[in-house]
Amino acid sequence: MDAAQLAFRDAPLYVMADVALEVIENIEGNNTRMAAASCAASGGGLQDLAICVDASYSIHYTVYQVEMEGIIAALQNPNIIPHDGSIRFTLDVAYNQVPLHRAVVITPATLPKLLNDLRTTGPNNWRNSGAYCMRYLSEYLLTLSPSTRKTLITMGDGGWEGHYTTVAMLPGTIANGIDRIDAIGIGSYDWNQLEANVWPKPANSPNGGRVTIANSTGEIAAALTQSISSLAQSPDLTLGNFRLHDQGAGQPVRLTLRVGNAGASAPASTVEIRQGASLLGSLAVPALRSGQWVDLQLETLQITGTDPLRATVDPQNLASECNRANNSQEIPLAASINPLAHISVATDQPSYPANTAVQLQSAITNQGSLAASLQVVLRVTDASGDEVVRFPPHNTGSIAAGATLDHTQPWNSAQYPAGSYTLTGTLIDDAGQTVGIASTLFAITAAGGAGAPRAALSLATDRAEYAQSDIVRIDNLVRNLTANARFDDARVEITVRDPGNAIVFTHTHQLGQLQASAIRQLDALQSLKNAPPGDYTVQAVLIGSGNSLRATGYAANVQLASASATYRVNRGSGPVPVPASAPWALALIALALTITATTRPTRPRKLGH
């Protein structure tokens, strides 16, 4: 199982085989195991493991060798018997009052000699083991320091002192501080005698001593694995999720924590919360069953200075735990999970032309009762919500309670398209959580300054005079005069009125998007059919939409530029010559040359013939 979610710090894991009870078994009680996270392989404190090995004539040398090789295999595997100094190992045979192999704390330094002794040192006589062996081992363990949680394992065929002797001696063994006794049956075992030796009763119940049958080195090592896991069956109070909640200036600070029990049932105790040597408060913890937890909180106005906060469960050591390393947690004073802070943002001007320096400003105010360390992230988005720029997070450093810190980020409007923009500031705490958000609008205007024309439109006809049935060519030249504004849905609408002011011709050039600095040359043909003689007026209007056409927001169908011209229709049907020296023709040629010179490399088509 990867990344299991535990209800509390070092909570035990329960594993059950055959949950649906689909398999008919002799014993169902050994289908469930509890593995405590902190009392198993490491961090569980020193614990005693003592083994009685059957060296009777019914076992004799061959099976005895199997027993010893199984124990050696378990000792060599740190996943079975840890090598971290948490296990003190003792082994005896028969009922010697002095163990055959005295207590050794298993570490990488002590293990080689212990393994060699187990291989080379055998019993002096081949005698029964069982109840007497366990009694003498329990008395020997009483002489050791420090006092620990103690597990005994008796190994053999069970043909020992007899059921009556076992039942009579077991209470005295337990009274010597033995917490658990398991039995491993080998050879032609006596199941009833093996069960009589285990503790607690009943055997093979979820919390009872275990009887396991093994007939090979591997099976003995596996049985020892199960017995070692029982070492976790002592109380294991844990303290975690220690948090500081800032409730605002002048309000008490609220401290919360969770106490759980990862081992066997634990008695009622207390939690002490301190800042340095100062006791901030004490909280009562009820008795907790295995896997149970309780959430506690304390409100206090006593926090001063900068010392970290520390919470400890069971400071009086009322519970005999397998691991006390997880009984406390320390947090820095600035580790508030909910810093109270406010952010505001602004720009130094409401709008900016292209290529103009911009000052993006933010102000962060610590509204809490403790100093806070935060980060500010500034970003700019356009009118469509697309991100234009995001600046790296800025660390504020420690901001004192009630203080305000200003932060300015330089930027440049460059050639960003004219239109409305949004500056957004996000305030983030040390845990990466968002504390506050603020935003403000500003604009980038079209280049050229306020009131400057955004577009130009010219209009001319190919001749000044026409016969009544001629074709009039109407030429337009359109230019976007801005450096950073795009016109959407651009179009040129042409209207021709006769001498009586009646509309005789209309045409629309659809341009689509007209990018910044773009030039378009257009023409339209008007066919005259017995047109009344006189002066005709041609009018052209450039219309567009876009973000640059007002201070903020999007404007549609705005008149950007206009132009007009006139021509004359004479009686008759023949062509009317145009003198090259006519003033309007000279002006049109000059305009075309000027535009050609100023818009390289794009060369517009020359107007007129």
Side-chain angles (χ1 to χ4, degrees), residues 237-328:
L237 293 173
T238 73
L239 187 145
N241 205 31
F242 189 26
R243 297 289 186 268
L244 184 154
H245 303 258
D246 192 343
Q247 301 188 100
Q251 300 298 315
V253 168
R254 182 161 58 93
L255 303 172
T256 61
L257 54 90
R258 175 171 287 187
V259 174
N261 180 19
S265 296
S269 59
T270 59
V271 170
E272 287 185 353
I273 301 177
R274 296 179 177 271
Q275 185 184 25
S278 175
L279 178 64
L280 301 181
S282 181
L283 301 169
V285 179
L288 296 174
R289 299 190 305 273
S290 177
Q292 224 177 358
W293 75 90
V294 61
D295 288 323
L296 304 172
Q297 69 175 30
L298 172 71
E299 290 193 351
T300 178
L301 284 167
Q302 301 180 51
I303 292 179
T304 59
T306 59
D307 288 340
L309 305 175
R310 186 174 185 84
T312 304
V313 62
D314 190 24
Q316 297 84 15
N317 298 331
L318 299 177
S320 177
E321 300 186 57
C322 69
N323 176 25
R324 298 197 61 82
N326 56 9
N327 281 33
S328 61

Side-chain angles (χ1 to χ4, degrees), residues 62-240:
T62 302
V63 178
Y64 171 79
Q65 287 296 106
V66 172
E67 292 177 307
M68 296 303 295
E69 287 300 325
I71 294 170
I72 289 170
L75 285 167
Q76 288 176 319
N77 188 342
N79 294 319
I80 298 177
I81 298 180
H83 300 170
D84 59 1
S86 63
I87 300 296
R88 187 164 55 188
F89 177 84
T90 308
L91 185 141
D92 199 7
V93 297
Y95 42 87
N96 300 315
Q97 291 183 313
V98 178
L100 180 62
H101 298 280
R102 300 189 183 188
V104 175
V105 176
I106 299 175
T107 67
T110 62
L111 184 61
K113 183 178 185 306
L114 173 62
L115 295 177
N116 183 67
D117 291 345
L118 293 174
R119 291 189 178 103
T120 58
T121 303
N124 295 325
N125 51 63
W126 301 94
R127 302 184 64 178
N128 290 10
S129 65
Y132 281 104
C133 178
M134 291 193 294
R135 170 65 67 83
Y136 291 138
L137 269 179
S138 70
E139 294 171 352
Y140 170 75
L141 295 178
L142 280 176
T143 67
L144 303 179
S145 181
S147 178
T148 68
R149 179 173 173 82
K150 304 172 180 63
T151 295
L152 294 184
I153 299 175
T154 182
M155 184 183 303
D157 58 11
W160 303 323
E161 298 86 355
H163 190 270
Y164 176 81
T165 302
T166 299
V167 172
M169 295 190 68
L170 185 60
T173 300
I174 296 169
N176 286 333
I178 301 302
D179 297 283
R180 183 181 178 91
I181 302 174
D182 285 349
I184 300 176
I186 295 177
S188 301
Y189 56 86
D190 183 335
W191 181 269
N192 291 332
Q193 181 69 10
L194 292 172
E195 276 194 335
N197 278 274
V198 302
W199 177 261
K201 305 292 186 183
N204 289 328
S205 64
N207 295 314
R210 181 170 299 279
V211 178
T212 309
I213 304 304
N215 290 298
S216 67
T217 297
E219 290 178 355
I220 290 173
L224 287 173
T225 302
Q226 292 186 339
S227 295
I228 293 299
S229 69
S230 71
L231 292 177
Q233 300 303 307
S234 58
D236 182 23
L237 293 173
T238 73
L239 187 145

